[in-house]
Amino acid sequence: MNFLSHFYFDRHNSDPNMVLGTVLPDLVKNARKDWNLHPEKKEALFTGPAEKSILRGWKRHLIVDRYFHNSGFFTKHTYAIRTAIAPVLVHSLVRPSFVAHIALEIMLDSILLTEDIINADDLYTSLHQSDRTSLDSFLKLNRMDDTAHFFKFFDKFLEVRYLSSYREAHHIMYAVNRICMRVWPEPLNDTQMLQLSAILLAHYEELQKEYMRIFEEINEILIANQEC
């Protein structure tokens, strides 16, 4: 799941450090894709209250992603999107499975915004309120080799507030293309962009009919794992 979908489960959480933890795995990967942190394997290192909250949020993120990526919902919708877009990408280096995966996650974020279930500003407020010193300590305990680089990315993320743009469905393809550009140079031409956009918008309408089911299923999993 993407940032806003993870935030859905903690949108009423008053602990900004835990909220930070729920999106921190994605922040780390977006800052530098070769960073692989596993704080859940070294829990004893984190002794401060804020560090423990960040870790608890991190563990919730892992539970959510594990269930989501193994769910029938994920399989059904990525298959449908992949099958529909494959002919458009037949002469492209871009993998249809990759686009299907990220497009589904971004569409879920978009629907949460358009249905007014969450407000992106609330996530940014929580992130601003989180304990920066404890975050720095948390990252260093995980042997992150360049926290300055991470915080440069983090500050830009907070400044640009691009998640709010997901409210407009037509921005979905733009977001998908931006992610593809991190993997492939010039991944999609204008014609492919238009074709893919039409396909994704059609699937978006289908997704709106049953999107809440996956959030309800995952919420039950989180309730069963109260320690997280």
Side-chain angles (χ1 to χ4, degrees), residues 116-181:
D116 290 323
I117 293 173
I118 61 170
N119 187 326
D121 289 341
D122 293 340
L123 172 58
Y124 287 114
T125 296
S126 286
L127 296 180
H128 273 293
Q129 293 174 344
S130 63
D131 187 331
R132 192 180 183 95
T133 300
S134 294
L135 173 57
D136 184 62
S137 173
F138 184 89
L139 297 174
K140 287 176 177 173
L141 287 168
N142 279 284
R143 298 187 180 279
M144 180 179 280
D145 58 3
D146 189 356
T147 56
H149 175 80
F150 173 82
F151 279 105
K152 181 178 180 181
F153 166 82
F154 186 45
D155 289 339
K156 189 69 174 178
F157 178 88
L158 295 175
E159 176 189 350
V160 175
R161 304 169 80 90
Y162 76 92
L163 296 176
S164 299
S165 70
Y166 290 175
R167 178 175 288 277
E168 304 298 329
H170 64 273
H171 285 164
I172 292 172
M173 192 59 234
Y174 173 80
V176 168
N177 188 50
R178 294 290 297 178
I179 294 172
C180 287
M181 288 172 66

XYZ file of all heavy atoms in Angstrom, residues 116-181:
560
model
N -13.362 11.592 0.677
C -13.218 12.354 1.929
C -13.124 11.461 3.165
O -13.602 11.804 4.248
C -14.382 13.348 2.106
C -14.297 14.490 1.097
O -13.173 14.926 0.793
O -15.354 14.927 0.617
N -12.489 10.322 2.994
C -12.275 9.414 4.119
C -11.036 9.826 4.902
O -10.985 9.689 6.120
C -12.160 7.961 3.612
C -13.512 7.528 3.038
C -11.705 7.013 4.722
C -13.491 6.197 2.354
N -10.047 10.335 4.199
C -8.867 10.880 4.857
C -8.534 12.239 4.244
O -9.007 12.568 3.153
C -7.634 9.953 4.744
C -7.238 9.746 3.285
C -7.870 8.631 5.445
C -5.912 9.041 3.134
N -7.702 12.978 4.954
C -7.221 14.276 4.489
C -5.704 14.219 4.483
O -5.074 13.943 5.518
C -7.718 15.376 5.438
C -7.402 16.762 4.936
O -6.375 16.996 4.300
N -8.278 17.712 5.239
N -5.095 14.442 3.342
C -3.639 14.368 3.240
C -2.955 15.348 4.181
O -1.869 15.071 4.706
C -3.197 14.625 1.794
N -3.600 16.485 4.424
C -3.009 17.480 5.324
C -2.819 16.918 6.728
O -1.883 17.299 7.434
C -3.890 18.732 5.396
C -3.848 19.545 4.110
O -2.904 19.363 3.326
O -4.763 20.360 3.898
N -3.692 16.017 7.145
C -3.566 15.424 8.477
C -2.300 14.574 8.585
O -1.638 14.559 9.628
C -4.790 14.560 8.797
C -6.055 15.384 8.952
O -5.945 16.608 9.196
O -7.149 14.811 8.816
N -1.976 13.865 7.516
C -0.737 13.090 7.521
C 0.468 14.017 7.609
O 1.380 13.793 8.419
C -0.642 12.224 6.257
C 0.710 11.507 6.047
C 1.053 10.599 7.222
C 0.707 10.722 4.736
N 0.481 15.052 6.788
C 1.619 15.977 6.809
C 1.751 16.653 8.174
O 2.872 16.866 8.660
C 1.461 17.027 5.710
C 1.696 16.490 4.318
C 0.662 16.434 3.385
C 2.955 16.028 3.934
C 0.882 15.940 2.098
C 3.176 15.527 2.655
C 2.129 15.488 1.744
O 2.346 14.998 0.480
N 0.637 16.963 8.803
C 0.692 17.577 10.134
C 1.343 16.636 11.136
O 2.206 17.043 11.926
C -0.727 17.942 10.618
O -1.273 18.936 9.743
C -0.690 18.491 12.037
N 0.950 15.365 11.114
C 1.552 14.386 12.015
C 3.047 14.248 11.767
O 3.846 14.177 12.711
C 0.880 13.020 11.843
O -0.402 13.013 12.416
N 3.447 14.226 10.514
C 4.868 14.085 10.194
C 5.660 15.297 10.670
O 6.783 15.163 11.175
C 5.049 13.875 8.685
C 4.438 12.579 8.124
C 4.695 12.486 6.617
C 4.981 11.356 8.830
N 5.077 16.471 10.522
C 5.733 17.690 11.024
C 5.890 17.645 12.548
O 6.866 18.162 13.093
C 4.922 18.928 10.635
C 5.260 19.482 9.281
N 6.473 20.058 8.981
C 4.514 19.540 8.136
C 6.475 20.456 7.717
N 5.300 20.151 7.181
N 4.934 17.037 13.235
C 4.942 17.008 14.692
C 5.809 15.896 15.276
O 6.035 15.872 16.486
C 3.507 16.850 15.211
C 2.614 18.055 14.943
C 1.166 17.805 15.333
O 0.747 16.660 15.527
N 0.392 18.881 15.424
N 6.280 14.991 14.435
C 7.089 13.878 14.937
C 8.442 14.372 15.453
O 8.885 15.471 15.118
C 7.288 12.832 13.833
O 8.014 13.379 12.738
N 9.061 13.563 16.283
C 10.315 13.912 16.950
C 11.497 13.675 16.007
O 11.912 12.542 15.788
C 10.467 13.072 18.218
C 11.652 13.496 19.069
O 12.641 14.002 18.515
O 11.584 13.308 20.295
N 12.022 14.746 15.461
C 13.097 14.649 14.469
C 14.373 14.060 15.068
O 15.068 13.269 14.425
C 13.365 16.042 13.896
C 14.251 16.062 12.653
C 14.443 17.500 12.190
N 15.210 17.586 10.965
C 14.685 17.660 9.754
N 13.374 17.655 9.611
N 15.441 17.743 8.674
N 14.683 14.435 16.303
C 15.889 13.917 16.952
C 15.794 12.408 17.144
O 16.753 11.671 16.893
C 16.107 14.603 18.313
O 16.244 16.005 18.113
C 17.359 14.067 18.999
N 14.628 11.941 17.573
C 14.431 10.501 17.757
C 14.449 9.768 16.421
O 14.940 8.635 16.330
C 13.115 10.233 18.485
O 13.166 10.722 19.800
N 13.919 10.399 15.380
C 13.965 9.790 14.050
C 15.407 9.634 13.596
O 15.799 8.584 13.075
C 13.184 10.637 13.046
C 13.275 10.207 11.582
C 12.816 8.763 11.400
C 12.455 11.150 10.696
N 16.218 10.659 13.818
C 17.629 10.584 13.450
C 18.306 9.440 14.202
O 19.071 8.657 13.623
C 18.316 11.907 13.761
C 19.761 11.936 13.305
O 20.015 11.819 12.090
O 20.661 12.060 14.175
N 18.022 9.326 15.495
C 18.582 8.247 16.299
C 18.111 6.886 15.796
O 18.905 5.940 15.688
C 18.175 8.435 17.764
O 18.562 7.337 18.547
N 16.828 6.787 15.481
C 16.250 5.538 14.975
C 16.970 5.084 13.708
O 17.332 3.913 13.559
C 14.764 5.746 14.692
C 14.018 4.524 14.258
C 13.428 3.685 15.186
C 13.877 4.224 12.909
C 12.728 2.553 14.780
C 13.181 3.098 12.491
C 12.597 2.262 13.427
N 17.190 6.017 12.800
C 17.851 5.687 11.528
C 19.302 5.297 11.743
O 19.807 4.354 11.113
C 17.741 6.872 10.573
C 16.321 7.257 10.148
C 16.340 8.535 9.325
C 15.647 6.126 9.377
N 19.984 5.991 12.622
C 21.386 5.674 12.882
C 21.543 4.322 13.577
O 22.497 3.582 13.310
C 22.032 6.786 13.705
C 22.280 8.056 12.886
C 22.829 9.190 13.734
C 23.132 10.419 12.858
N 23.522 11.600 13.663
N 20.613 3.991 14.451
C 20.648 2.675 15.091
C 20.433 1.562 14.071
O 20.849 0.420 14.278
C 19.589 2.590 16.187
C 19.896 3.380 17.473
C 18.668 3.459 18.363
C 21.062 2.732 18.220
N 19.788 1.911 12.967
C 19.612 0.966 11.863
C 20.766 1.018 10.865
O 20.683 0.461 9.780
C 18.296 1.264 11.134
C 17.098 0.667 11.838
O 16.861 -0.527 11.764
N 16.352 1.498 12.541
N 21.807 1.723 11.263
C 23.030 1.836 10.451
C 22.792 2.484 9.093
O 23.412 2.127 8.084
C 23.704 0.463 10.272
C 24.146 -0.164 11.594
C 24.961 -1.431 11.375
N 25.377 -2.016 12.638
C 26.427 -1.601 13.351
N 27.159 -0.591 12.909
N 26.746 -2.207 14.482
N 21.861 3.448 9.035
C 21.718 4.237 7.820
C 22.989 5.053 7.645
O 23.419 5.745 8.570
C 20.494 5.151 7.891
C 20.311 5.990 6.636
S 18.847 7.074 6.683
C 17.553 5.895 6.263
N 23.570 4.981 6.464
C 24.897 5.569 6.256
C 24.870 7.052 5.898
O 25.919 7.695 5.842
C 25.659 4.804 5.173
C 24.925 4.758 3.838
O 23.845 5.374 3.729
O 25.424 4.093 2.909
N 23.684 7.623 5.666
C 23.631 9.030 5.261
C 22.292 9.629 5.677
O 21.397 9.847 4.851
C 23.826 9.134 3.746
C 24.014 10.576 3.273
O 23.916 11.490 4.109
O 24.252 10.768 2.070
N 22.139 9.916 6.960
C 20.866 10.468 7.430
C 20.626 11.869 6.877
O 19.481 12.291 6.725
C 20.807 10.495 8.971
O 21.915 11.234 9.477
C 20.825 9.092 9.543
N 21.704 12.587 6.555
C 21.537 13.922 5.980
C 20.787 13.831 4.649
O 19.927 14.669 4.346
C 22.896 14.593 5.783
N 21.115 12.818 3.859
C 20.429 12.618 2.585
C 18.956 12.301 2.828
O 18.068 12.822 2.133
C 21.072 11.473 1.803
C 20.356 11.127 0.530
N 20.513 11.854 -0.627
C 19.453 10.159 0.238
C 19.742 11.341 -1.581
N 19.091 10.312 -1.065
N 18.690 11.461 3.823
C 17.297 11.136 4.122
C 16.512 12.380 4.515
O 15.403 12.607 4.019
C 17.191 10.099 5.244
C 15.768 9.886 5.675
C 14.937 9.038 4.970
C 15.239 10.592 6.757
C 13.598 8.881 5.335
C 13.907 10.445 7.130
C 13.085 9.579 6.414
N 17.076 13.189 5.402
C 16.335 14.360 5.875
C 16.162 15.402 4.775
O 15.179 16.149 4.772
C 17.006 14.959 7.109
C 16.664 14.223 8.374
C 17.584 13.375 8.968
C 15.413 14.350 8.939
C 17.258 12.678 10.133
C 15.069 13.663 10.095
C 16.006 12.820 10.691
N 17.084 15.453 3.843
C 16.910 16.343 2.697
C 15.688 15.905 1.892
O 14.860 16.729 1.480
C 18.162 16.335 1.816
C 18.074 17.263 0.621
C 19.369 17.246 -0.188
C 19.287 18.180 -1.392
N 20.542 18.157 -2.201
N 15.574 14.590 1.680
C 14.401 14.058 0.978
C 13.134 14.288 1.797
O 12.097 14.719 1.272
C 14.573 12.561 0.701
C 13.295 11.887 0.286
C 12.857 11.964 -1.028
C 12.505 11.221 1.218
C 11.653 11.369 -1.405
C 11.296 10.636 0.840
C 10.881 10.709 -0.469
N 13.201 14.000 3.083
C 12.044 14.121 3.968
C 11.508 15.556 3.990
O 10.303 15.790 3.891
C 12.433 13.668 5.363
C 11.307 13.592 6.358
C 10.083 13.016 6.017
C 11.467 14.071 7.648
C 9.047 12.931 6.947
C 10.443 13.992 8.582
C 9.231 13.424 8.222
N 12.407 16.511 4.091
C 11.994 17.916 4.114
C 11.339 18.314 2.798
O 10.362 19.079 2.785
C 13.190 18.820 4.401
C 13.676 18.704 5.842
O 12.898 18.259 6.697
O 14.854 19.040 6.102
N 11.858 17.805 1.699
C 11.263 18.102 0.393
C 9.883 17.465 0.289
O 8.933 18.072 -0.235
C 12.164 17.575 -0.724
C 11.752 18.010 -2.119
C 11.980 19.501 -2.315
C 11.719 19.916 -3.746
N 11.891 21.384 -3.940
N 9.761 16.260 0.799
C 8.482 15.546 0.807
C 7.429 16.356 1.562
O 6.288 16.499 1.116
C 8.685 14.178 1.470
C 7.442 13.340 1.604
C 7.047 12.492 0.575
C 6.679 13.374 2.760
C 5.905 11.702 0.705
C 5.539 12.599 2.902
C 5.157 11.757 1.871
N 7.821 16.912 2.698
C 6.900 17.711 3.499
C 6.572 19.040 2.833
O 5.449 19.552 2.951
C 7.499 17.960 4.889
C 7.692 16.735 5.781
C 8.395 17.128 7.072
C 6.358 16.069 6.080
N 7.527 19.581 2.123
C 7.326 20.879 1.476
C 6.421 20.776 0.252
O 5.484 21.575 0.082
C 8.683 21.456 1.058
C 8.601 22.760 0.291
C 9.940 23.204 -0.292
O 10.974 22.603 0.048
O 9.943 24.140 -1.104
N 6.672 19.790 -0.589
C 5.945 19.680 -1.861
C 4.507 19.199 -1.657
O 3.588 19.620 -2.370
C 6.702 18.743 -2.822
C 5.901 18.506 -4.098
C 8.062 19.319 -3.166
N 4.319 18.287 -0.687
C 2.982 17.778 -0.358
C 2.272 17.210 -1.595
O 1.073 17.452 -1.819
C 2.140 18.896 0.274
C 2.767 19.530 1.497
C 2.053 20.786 1.931
N 0.856 20.491 2.682
C 0.801 20.346 4.009
N 1.897 20.484 4.727
N -0.326 20.064 4.618
N 2.986 16.407 -2.351
C 2.443 15.936 -3.620
C 1.295 14.938 -3.454
O 0.496 14.728 -4.375
C 3.543 15.327 -4.490
C 3.986 13.940 -4.078
C 3.401 12.803 -4.622
C 5.003 13.753 -3.151
C 3.797 11.536 -4.252
C 5.412 12.489 -2.774
C 4.806 11.382 -3.328
O 5.207 10.127 -2.946
N 1.171 14.321 -2.266
C 0.098 13.349 -2.076
C -1.276 13.982 -2.254
O -2.229 13.308 -2.648
C 0.201 12.720 -0.684
C 1.466 11.890 -0.403
C 1.466 11.421 1.049
C 1.559 10.701 -1.352
N -1.373 15.263 -1.982
C -2.657 15.945 -2.133
C -3.137 15.932 -3.580
O -4.341 16.003 -3.847
C -2.547 17.398 -1.636
O -2.201 17.439 -0.266
N -2.206 15.839 -4.531
C -2.579 15.847 -5.950
C -3.330 14.583 -6.349
O -4.004 14.553 -7.387
C -1.337 16.005 -6.834
O -0.538 14.830 -6.802
N -3.239 13.518 -5.539
C -3.936 12.272 -5.867
C -5.449 12.444 -5.822
O -6.183 11.575 -6.281
C -3.539 11.162 -4.890
C -2.111 10.666 -5.032
C -1.600 9.742 -4.131
C -1.282 11.109 -6.047
C -0.301 9.272 -4.235
C 0.017 10.657 -6.168
C 0.504 9.734 -5.254
O 1.788 9.274 -5.364
N -5.928 13.540 -5.254
C -7.371 13.793 -5.223
C -7.931 13.879 -6.639
O -9.094 13.536 -6.874
C -7.665 15.083 -4.456
C -9.128 15.462 -4.412
C -9.367 16.668 -3.533
N -9.212 16.340 -2.126
C -10.171 15.789 -1.384
N -11.349 15.508 -1.921
N -9.968 15.514 -0.109
N -7.103 14.347 -7.579
C -7.529 14.455 -8.977
C -7.156 13.171 -9.710
O -5.974 12.849 -9.853
C -6.855 15.645 -9.659
C -7.077 16.974 -8.954
C -8.536 17.369 -8.910
O -9.269 16.998 -9.856
O -8.954 18.031 -7.948
N -8.148 12.426 -10.157
C -7.909 11.118 -10.758
C -6.968 11.191 -11.961
O -6.185 10.264 -12.215
C -9.234 10.478 -11.166
N -7.004 12.301 -12.705
C -6.169 12.392 -13.896
C -4.683 12.536 -13.551
O -3.828 12.447 -14.431
C -6.619 13.540 -14.803
C -6.479 14.896 -14.191
N -7.465 15.451 -13.410
C -5.479 15.810 -14.229
C -7.090 16.645 -13.011
N -5.887 16.893 -13.481
N -4.374 12.772 -12.286
C -2.971 12.847 -11.881
C -2.378 11.472 -11.606
O -1.177 11.346 -11.378
C -2.834 13.703 -10.620
C -2.963 15.170 -10.885
N -3.192 16.096 -9.887
C -2.914 15.872 -12.049
C -3.274 17.306 -10.417
N -3.120 17.188 -11.723
N -3.197 10.446 -11.613
C -2.715 9.094 -11.309
C -1.659 8.658 -12.312
O -0.603 8.147 -11.940
C -3.892 8.100 -11.290
C -4.795 8.393 -10.088
C -3.384 6.660 -11.235
C -6.072 7.595 -10.075
N -1.920 8.864 -13.597
C -0.967 8.429 -14.617
C 0.328 9.217 -14.513
O 1.417 8.676 -14.729
C -1.582 8.579 -16.023
C -0.761 7.882 -17.115
S -0.574 6.122 -16.812
C 1.209 5.935 -16.882
N 0.229 10.485 -14.162
C 1.442 11.295 -13.971
C 2.283 10.704 -12.852
O 3.506 10.558 -12.984
C 1.060 12.734 -13.635
C 2.234 13.605 -13.252
C 3.059 14.162 -14.225
C 2.531 13.849 -11.906
C 4.147 14.948 -13.874
C 3.612 14.641 -11.548
C 4.423 15.179 -12.534
O 5.509 15.963 -12.171
N 1.626 10.330 -11.748
C 2.349 9.751 -10.612
C 2.973 8.409 -10.997
O 4.113 8.113 -10.627
C 1.410 9.588 -9.424
N 2.230 7.596 -11.734
C 2.752 6.298 -12.170
C 3.990 6.484 -13.044
O 5.003 5.801 -12.887
C 1.668 5.505 -12.931
C 2.278 4.287 -13.637
C 0.560 5.070 -11.987
N 3.906 7.421 -13.967
C 5.039 7.666 -14.861
C 6.266 8.157 -14.099
O 7.401 7.761 -14.393
C 4.656 8.682 -15.936
C 5.729 8.833 -16.998
O 6.199 7.839 -17.554
N 6.133 10.057 -17.278
N 6.054 9.005 -13.101
C 7.181 9.503 -12.299
C 7.895 8.359 -11.592
O 9.120 8.338 -11.494
C 6.680 10.527 -11.273
C 6.148 11.806 -11.867
C 7.224 12.667 -12.476
N 8.195 13.124 -11.489
C 9.254 13.859 -11.792
N 9.480 14.217 -13.057
N 10.089 14.245 -10.850
N 7.127 7.401 -11.107
C 7.741 6.249 -10.445
C 8.474 5.383 -11.458
O 9.583 4.896 -11.192
C 6.665 5.438 -9.692
C 6.098 6.284 -8.541
C 7.248 4.136 -9.149
C 4.896 5.669 -7.856
N 7.891 5.202 -12.630
C 8.557 4.418 -13.686
C 9.889 5.055 -14.083
O 10.850 4.350 -14.406
C 7.656 4.300 -14.910
S 6.246 3.185 -14.705
N 9.954 6.378 -14.052
C 11.175 7.086 -14.443
C 12.330 6.825 -13.482
O 13.489 7.048 -13.834
C 10.885 8.584 -14.539
C 10.027 8.967 -15.738
S 9.490 10.709 -15.722
C 11.066 11.543 -15.909
